[in-house]
Each structure stands twice: as C-alpha cells, then as structure tokens.
Amino acid sequence: YGAAMKAMRSGNAARAEQLLKSSLKMEAKQGAGEKELLQSNIALADLYRARGSFVEAEALYKNALNRIESDGD
C-alpha cells in the first residue's frame, strides 16, 4: 500500500494501479484485516475515479461500502 501511494504522489498511476491490485490479492490471500483491505480497495477506487474510470471506481466503492455495512452487523 505504501509503495502504491508513493507512486500515486509521483504521478505514476499505472504503477500505483499495479501495486494496489497486487496488494489486494496478497491481503486477501494472507487474511489481512478489514482495515487493510478497505484501505487498498478505496485507494484503487480513488485512482480509477481520478482517471475517469467511473464504472470501475463505483464497483470498488460499493464493495468497500458493503464491507463496512456488513462489519457493523
């Protein structure tokens, strides 16, 4: 996640996307906590939104929202 944020700040969106996708896969595989998964999920959604990929961003935001709402149950 940290390397992806650094890539985003330096304007390397393609590298940030690659790192965030990799981070999400690794976090899911290793059973990372909800906070880490949400953080990467929302960061990738933000990147897609900034790029104008609204359909992809919306899907990720909805996924994050569903996780948050189901965590409260």
Side-chain angles (χ1 to χ4, degrees), residues 5-25:
M5 295 300 94
K6 186 175 180 179
M8 284 177 73
R9 285 191 297 274
S10 69
N12 193 344
R15 179 71 177 144
E17 179 181 11
Q18 178 186 25
L19 289 167
L20 285 167
K21 285 181 175 180
S22 176
S23 179
L24 280 168
K25 286 180 186 175

Side-chain angles (χ1 to χ4, degrees), residues 1 4-5 8 13-25 37-51 53 56-58 60-61:
Y1 175 82
M5 295 300 94
M8 284 177 73
R15 179 71 177 144
E17 179 181 11
Q18 178 186 25
L19 289 167
L20 285 167
K21 285 181 175 180
S22 176
S23 179
L24 280 168
K25 286 180 186 175
L37 285 167
L38 283 171
Q39 195 173 32
S40 295
N41 194 338
I42 292 170
L44 185 57
D46 289 345
L47 185 141
Y48 286 153
R49 182 182 47 83
R51 195 191 287 174
S53 300
E56 292 87 349
E58 181 181 23
L60 289 168
Y61 285 132

